[in-house]
Amino acid sequence: MEVIVTPTPESAASAAAQAVLSGLPAGAGPVLGLATGSSPLGLYAELAAAAAAGRVDFSTAKGFALDEYVGLPAGHVQSYREVLIREVCEVIGLPMAGLNVPDGSGATQAELEAGAAAYDAAIAAAGGVDVQILGIGANGHVGFNEPGSSLSSRTRLKRLTARTRLDNARFFEHDGDVPTHCITQGLGTVLEARRLVLIATGAAKAAAVAAAVEGPLTASCPGSILQWHADAVVVLDEAAASGLANREYYDDAARGLALAP
Ligand code: GLP
């Protein structure tokens, strides 16, 4: 795991974008794993700048969302499909036809579970995710994998915690409008991406970041799966890094592997 600490949220976005770009294969058809939330917005702006400068082309890219609410009507402004169209497709130039989002429209548990299994199959059919972009919740959650989620879980139907519904109520007119269920990529699904890039900024994420980076690998902190991945990059601003014990080593390691001192 590579831990990169930069001074500000802006410099973190820039460093995270570099980690994404260097993980994409040369040529057509990169496959991005997409996170919603405020954490990656600066990173998406940096990817847009790189595309505008001709350093990358997302016009043939595919994107796979981490998660989706269950039961919102098609086109609902807060559905993650609509959020990703606004915050990613229209920003970085990824075509809507290349955007894949778990299907939260099933009317029955069986339909939703079938859709979740089909989503994992679609990721595999696309050749897997090249780079998965991740945020982290204050309780360590990744996607909608709350503490206690199996480390080998697949994309599946989950009930949202009361805490997460309350956190996300700000996006809806009434608290009761927040869906009770979601479909989320599983932690096992996320681990199959060839590179993971997690971005976190701000003091409110410091405890979750410390647990994910330096705590035990445990379902109690879903973000700790990054420790199990062979190519994981964690990009932080100073505030999000403030709970790390091994900070000095991360700064040393950031000087690279050249043998000269
Ligand atoms: C939601 C999303 C996660 C996201 C998290 C943190 O629960 N499902 O993918 O990482 O919120 O959001 P933010 O980046 O806004 O703090």
Side-chain angles (χ1 to χ4, degrees), residues 35-40 66-67 80 134-137 141-144 164 168 170 205:
T36 54
S38 52
S39 303
L66 275 176
D67 44 17
Y80 281 173
L134 296 170
I136 188 166
H141 78 222
V142 168
F144 274 136
T164 295
N168 291 0
R170 66 189 190 278
K205 298 292 173 72

Side-chain angles (χ1 to χ4, degrees), residues 110-237:
E111 268 175 44
L112 289 161
E113 284 172 350
Y119 194 70
D120 273 344
I123 294 174
V129 170
D130 290 311
V131 180
Q132 174 66 57
I133 295 166
L134 296 170
I136 188 166
N139 65 356
H141 78 222
V142 168
F144 274 136
N145 293 282
E146 299 288 0
S149 293
S150 161
L151 300 178
S152 60
S153 49
R154 312 301 308 172
T155 300
R156 67 214 186 286
L157 175 64
K158 291 288 281 184
R159 185 180 281 278
L160 293 170
T161 63
R163 169 66 200 268
T164 295
R165 292 187 68 224
L166 204 60
D167 285 350
N168 291 0
R170 66 189 190 278
F171 297 112
F172 293 83
E173 201 177 338
H174 307 108
D175 289 6
D177 295 344
V178 185
T180 54
H181 291 72
C182 66
I183 308 282
T184 183
Q185 279 193 36
L187 296 174
T189 312
V190 170
L191 280 169
E192 286 170 3
R194 285 180 277 281
R195 171 175 288 186
L196 304 181
V197 176
L198 184 145
I199 181 164
T201 58
K205 298 292 173 72
V209 165
V213 172
E214 295 180 342
L217 173 63
T218 169
S220 297
C221 178
S224 67
I225 59 161
L226 273 87
Q227 300 176 32
W228 192 249
H229 196 281
D231 186 2
V233 185
V234 178
V235 186
L236 308 168
D237 69 351

Side-chain angles (χ1 to χ4, degrees), residues 13-160:
S14 167
Q18 289 317 310
V20 171
L21 292 172
S22 64
L24 295 178
V31 182
L32 278 173
L34 302 170
T36 54
S38 52
S39 303
L41 292 178
L43 159 55
Y44 293 137
E46 292 284 341
L47 294 181
R55 290 171 53 212
V56 63
D57 177 13
F58 293 113
S59 67
T60 59
K62 287 197 172 79
F64 283 89
L66 275 176
D67 44 17
E68 178 59 291
Y69 290 116
V70 165
L72 291 181
H76 190 287
V77 71
Q78 290 305 334
S79 73
Y80 281 173
R81 174 175 289 282
E82 293 299 316
V83 169
L84 288 170
I85 288 171
R86 285 195 304 276
E87 296 181 350
V88 179
C89 292
E90 291 173 1
V91 172
I92 72 170
L94 188 148
M96 268 169 58
L99 176 65
N100 299 270
V101 183
D103 183 1
S105 70
T108 64
Q109 186 177 339
E111 268 175 44
L112 289 161
E113 284 172 350
Y119 194 70
D120 273 344
I123 294 174
V129 170
D130 290 311
V131 180
Q132 174 66 57
I133 295 166
L134 296 170
I136 188 166
N139 65 356
H141 78 222
V142 168
F144 274 136
N145 293 282
E146 299 288 0
S149 293
S150 161
L151 300 178
S152 60
S153 49
R154 312 301 308 172
T155 300
R156 67 214 186 286
L157 175 64
K158 291 288 281 184
R159 185 180 281 278
L160 293 170

